Amino acid sequence: MATDVPTAHYPDWARELGEKYLTKTISTFLLHGDVRDVIRTTNPDTGAPTYVPLSRFLTDDLFAARDLIVQYDRSSGLHFPDKDSQRDFNRAVSGYDSIFGTDYQRKLPKEPTRVFALLENYFRLRLSKGKRMACIIDYAETIVPMAEAAMYSAEDRQALVYLQKWARDPLLLDHDFTLCLVTENLTDLNQQLVQSPHTAEIQVPIPDDTARADYARWYIGDRTNAYAEHAEMPPDTLADSTSGLNLTQLRTILADVLENKNALTFERLSDLRKDFIEAEAYGMLEFVDTDFSLDDVAGHREAKTHLRQAARALRANRPDVMPMGYLICGPVGCGKTFLIRCFAGEIGIPMVKLKNFRSQWQGVTEGNLEKILNLLEAMTPVAVMIDEADAALGNRNAQGDSGVSQRVFSQIVSFMSNPKHRGRVLFFLMTARPDLMPVDLKRQGRAEEHLALFYPHTREDREELLQIMMQRTGVSLSIDDVPDLLLTGDRTFSGADMEAIMTRASFRGAAEGTEVTPEILETTVQDFIPPTYPQEIELQTLAAVLECTSKALLPEPYRSMERAEVVQRVEALKHQI
C-alpha cells in the first residue's frame, strides 16, 4: 500500500488493514462482515463523497497505487479491474502455456487449484521484477469452507495449502503484495486459515447512525423538498431509527420515497426495518411485538419492581448500571415468557427473540450465529429473549456433534461478556431447569441477575391472576362467584392452568348456548386435571430457589429454608425422576 495515498477518508477497517500491512509481517487479510454493502469513498475528480461496492473500493481506491490487481471467484473465474492488468496477465499466461503445455490463453480455468497454480507463477514473476500487486478472492467460503479435515476433498486441501503457503511466503511478505479473502461470515472459512498467525481478520461493520445519516443526506442530495413531502421524519431521525440496517437496505427505503413517491411514516419505517432485519437473519431473529406492559402481569411483585427499575435506567440512558443479562427461571406455566414480553412493552428499545439457528450442515450453525451476533451488535440498544436457554445455547462439554455445541457456546459467552455490550445488548435467558445450564453462562459478567418466578402463593396473588385470566378469556364473573378451590391454595394452579380452565369453561358455555355461569365454572374446575407431573414441578421450583440471586424474590416458605435442605431435596428428586 503506497504511503503517499491519503487515508483520512478511509473507513476505520481500511485504516486498520493498512496499518497491519505496513508492519510487513502480514500480507493475507480476511475481510468479513458487511462485505456486500457499499463503502463511502471520495470521487478522485471532484473530491465529493461517493459510495461504491467493496470490490470497487478495493481496486479503485485502497489498492489504486498497485501496478497489477487480480480478482477471482468461482463463478466469474479470473477477472481484472483494468485493461493493463488484463494484458499483462495474458502475456504471463502465454509463457505459462509454453512451459507447462496448457492452453489457458484460449480459456482460463475456474477451478481453484488450477487458478492458484497459475497465480503463484504469476505472482513470483512480477514481484521479482518489482511490481506492486494485489489479489482479491471473493466468496472465499466456497474455496476453503469450514469443515472437518476428514470431509475435505483433494481440491479443498490443495487450495488450503496454497493460501497457507502464500500467507507466510517471504517473497510475498517482502514485496508490495496484498491478498484479500472476502466472506460474510468468518466462521464459514477453514479455521486453520482463520486462526493462523500469518493472517489478519478485518471486520467490515454494519454502518452506525452517523454513517447512515451521511448516506441518507448524500442520496437525497438536492431532492430535500421531495423527500420532506413524503417522509414524516428528517434524514437524521431516519438514520437513528434504522439501526441494524446497512446502506443498501437504507437506499431501498429512500428510493421508495423519492422514486415511487410512497409515504414514509414512523409505523411503516418500523415495519420495513423489522422485515429487513428478519430477512437478513434468515428468519432466525423475530421481533417481539406486544401491546402489554408489566401492569398486565399478575403477581411477581418483586420481579416487576426490579424490571421497572431496569426500564427506568434504560430510558434514562444509563446502560452502565444494567446487568449484562438476566436468567429468568421457574416452573412451567409460571409466566416467564409473558413477563419478559410485557417488559418489552416498557423499555423503549426493540426486543428480539432468538429462534433456532442450528443446522444439520457442517459449519452452517456457527455461520448463522455469527450473522445474528453481528446484527445484534449493530442494532444496539436491543434486548434478546432466548427461550429454553438450557437447550438452545449448548454446552462447553457437549460431545457427539463434531464440536458444534462447544463452538456455539464459545461464541455466545464471548459475546455476552463483552464489556461494551453492557446495557446495550440485554440478554434474557429463560428456562425451567437452570440447574442444567453451564455455570459459564450464569456467572457474573454474563447472565448476572437471576430472577426466580413461582406459582401464586397467597390468596391475593391468586385472585389477581384469576381476574386477569378471566379478562383475557372473556369470562364475566365476579371473584365471589369463583370456586374456592382456585383461591384457597389447597391445589396449586399455575397461570397457564387458570387460563386453560377459563377456556374450557367458555367451551362448555358455548356448547350449552350460554355464557359461563358459576355452575359451569365449578364443574370445569372439579373436572380439570393439570397436565403436569408433581415431582418435576417441585424439582423446577426448587431449582429456581437455588438459582435466585435475591432473597426478596423468594416467597415463604422458600425464603426461610436452609440451602442444604433444598440441595438435598433437589438431588433426591433428580434420582426419583
Side-chain angles (χ1 to χ4, degrees):
M1 183 176 301
T3 57
D4 59 341
V5 177
T7 61
H9 66 285
Y10 285 172
D12 292 343
W13 65 264
R15 289 199 292 270
E16 180 187 358
L17 189 153
E19 290 169 0
K20 290 185 176 181
Y21 172 78
L22 290 174
T23 65
K24 289 298 181 182
T25 59
I26 293 177
S27 64
T28 299
F29 297 90
L30 313 179
L31 301 187
H32 64 102
D34 191 30
V35 296
R36 306 302 168 203
D37 201 7
V38 291
I39 308 296
R40 180 187 171 104
T41 185
T42 300
N43 187 308
D45 299 324
T46 65
T50 188
Y51 292 82
V52 298
L54 175 65
S55 59
R56 276 191 56 194
F57 174 77
L58 293 175
T59 59
D60 298 355
D61 201 324
L62 195 61
F63 299 137
R66 301 299 173 92
D67 298 314
L68 302 167
I69 299 176
V70 183
Q71 296 171 275
Y72 170 68
D73 64 70
R74 272 186 177 271
S75 174
S76 303
L78 288 163
H79 51 286
F80 307 87
D82 58 77
K83 293 183 178 179
D84 290 339
S85 293
Q86 175 79 67
R87 282 193 292 267
D88 185 82
F89 187 78
N90 288 340
R91 287 195 294 270
V93 170
S94 178
Y96 188 93
D97 284 344
S98 63
I99 294 173
F100 295 99
T102 55
D103 192 19
Y104 292 158
Q105 192 170 18
R106 185 177 64 85
K107 184 178 180 180
L108 289 174
K110 288 188 177 181
E111 301 83 359
T113 51
R114 295 183 181 183
V115 169
F116 287 175
L118 186 57
L119 286 178
E120 178 164 305
N121 181 73
Y122 182 57
F123 294 157
R124 294 187 181 282
L125 285 175
R126 294 301 182 255
L127 290 175
S128 63
K129 294 182 180 181
K131 294 291 185 180
R132 297 170 297 177
M133 303 183 70
C135 179
I136 303 165
I137 300 177
D138 206 351
Y139 299 96
E141 72 278 4
T142 65
I143 296 169
V144 280
M146 166 61 187
E148 296 296 324
M151 302 296 293
Y152 256 45
S153 66
E155 180 186 83
D156 292 337
R157 294 174 189 273
Q158 290 174 341
L160 178 61
V161 169
Y162 271 114
L163 294 175
Q164 288 181 316
K165 185 169 60 175
W166 291 350
R168 65 189 71 188
D169 193 309
L171 177 66
L172 274 59
L173 289 170
D174 292 342
H175 289 79
D176 203 349
F177 174 84
T178 306
L179 173 65
C180 287
L181 304 178
V182 181
T183 182
E184 289 189 57
N185 298 322
L186 199 61
T187 50
D188 290 342
L189 286 181
N190 180 279
Q191 293 305 291
Q192 292 183 39
L193 193 64
V194 173
Q195 296 168 6
S196 170
H198 304 286
T199 63
E201 304 90 49
I202 304 293
Q203 182 178 13
V204 182
I206 296 174
D208 59 15
D209 294 356
T210 302
R212 291 193 303 275
D214 289 342
Y215 180 81
R217 287 191 290 268
W218 172 83
Y219 186 82
I220 293 170
D222 58 2
R223 298 178 289 179
T224 304
N225 292 337
Y227 172 80
E229 182 181 350
H230 299 284
E232 286 186 359
M233 70 293 296
D236 286 354
T237 304
L238 172 66
D240 291 340
S241 303
T242 51
S243 59
L245 301 190
N246 62 29
L247 302 184
T248 303
Q249 293 164 334
L250 182 59
R251 176 172 183 156
T252 302
I253 295 174
L254 290 168
D256 191 49
V257 174
L258 294 172
E259 310 301 336
N260 298 331
K261 312 300 182 185
N262 287 326
L264 183 62
T265 63
F266 280 101
E267 182 178 359
R268 175 166 171 74
L269 179 60
S270 177
D271 290 340
L272 288 171
R273 176 173 176 264
K274 291 176 182 177
D275 290 343
F276 276 127
I277 291 176
E278 289 178 356
E280 187 71 18
Y282 307 136
M284 294 176 290
L285 283 182
E286 177 185 324
F287 278 83
V288 178
D289 294 318
T290 179
D291 295 325
F292 298 110
S293 70
L294 291 174
D295 292 334
D296 297 299
V297 178
H300 308 312
R301 288 180 178 80
E302 294 79 7
K304 288 191 294 184
T305 298
H306 177 90
L307 291 176
R308 284 195 172 106
Q309 292 171 346
R312 284 196 292 272
L314 288 171
R315 288 195 295 267
N317 195 27
R318 288 297 307 275
D320 56 302
V321 303
M322 294 295 297
M324 296 293 283
Y326 287 88
L327 175 64
I328 313 295
C329 53
V332 293
C334 68
K336 298 184 291 294
T337 302
F338 183 68
L339 176 71
I340 302 308
R341 283 184 177 274
C342 291
F343 177 67
E346 296 206 2
I347 55 180
I349 64 174
M351 175 177 279
V352 294
K353 181 178 181 181
L354 182 61
K355 300 172 73 175
N356 183 22
F357 55 84
R358 295 178 180 270
S359 171
Q360 61 179 322
W361 306 112
Q362 180 74 33
V364 175
T365 296
E366 297 93 318
N368 289 343
L369 184 56
E370 180 182 345
K371 178 174 280 292
I372 289 170
L373 297 181
N374 287 339
L375 278 170
L376 292 177
E377 193 162 34
M379 290 169 62
T380 57
V382 63
V384 185
M385 176 196 298
I386 305 179
D387 218 343
E388 305 295 342
D390 54 299
L393 300 183
N395 193 309
R396 192 185 299 279
N397 300 318
Q399 303 292 329
D401 59 358
S402 301
V404 173
S405 291
Q406 296 177 14
R407 291 190 292 271
V408 164
F409 184 81
S410 178
Q411 284 177 273
I412 287 284
V413 297
S414 176
F415 187 87
M416 288 182 65
S417 59
N418 190 333
K420 73 177 184 178
H421 295 154
R422 180 178 292 276
R424 310 294 294 172
V425 183
L426 192 60
F427 280 91
F428 289 90
L429 312 183
M430 293 176 291
T431 177
R433 290 294 303 274
D435 54 306
L436 298 181
M437 293 183 63
V439 175
D440 286 11
L441 274 175
K442 301 185 291 185
R443 71 167 175 81
Q444 295 300 299
R446 287 171 185 151
E448 296 177 334
E449 198 75 39
H450 300 180
L451 305 184
L453 307 183
F454 302 95
Y455 296 152
H457 278 71
T458 67
R459 186 181 182 93
E460 182 183 6
D461 287 343
R462 286 188 283 270
E463 286 184 1
E464 183 183 5
L465 180 58
L466 194 55
Q467 287 175 333
I468 286 180
M469 291 306 170
M470 287 193 294
Q471 291 173 5
R472 185 183 299 181
T473 55
V475 175
S476 300
L477 292 177
S478 71
I479 202 68
D480 295 331
D481 295 327
V482 172
D484 283 343
L485 186 59
L486 287 174
L487 302 174
T488 59
D490 294 338
R491 282 175 57 185
T492 299
F493 293 96
S494 68
D497 292 338
M498 290 185 179
E499 184 174 11
I501 288 172
M502 295 303 157
T503 302
R504 291 188 186 186
S506 297
F507 178 83
R508 286 174 181 264
E512 297 177 14
T514 183
E515 298 294 326
V516 176
T517 64
E519 293 74 23
I520 289 176
L521 184 56
E522 175 74 37
T523 302
T524 304
V525 171
Q526 294 295 336
D527 180 66
F528 181 75
I529 301 176
T532 56
Y533 301 92
Q535 287 183 328
E536 291 188 357
I537 294 299
E538 185 183 1
L539 174 58
Q540 293 170 1
T541 301
L542 294 179
V545 170
L546 291 176
E547 204 62 55
C548 185
T549 55
S550 172
K551 284 186 178 180
L553 292 174
L554 294 176
E556 290 294 349
Y558 303 123
R559 191 180 304 175
S560 57
M561 288 180 68
E562 292 291 335
R563 192 171 184 84
E565 179 186 351
V566 180
V567 171
Q568 185 178 12
R569 179 57 181 161
V570 166
E571 293 302 318
L573 287 168
K574 286 182 179 179
H575 286 298
Q576 292 174 23
I577 294 174

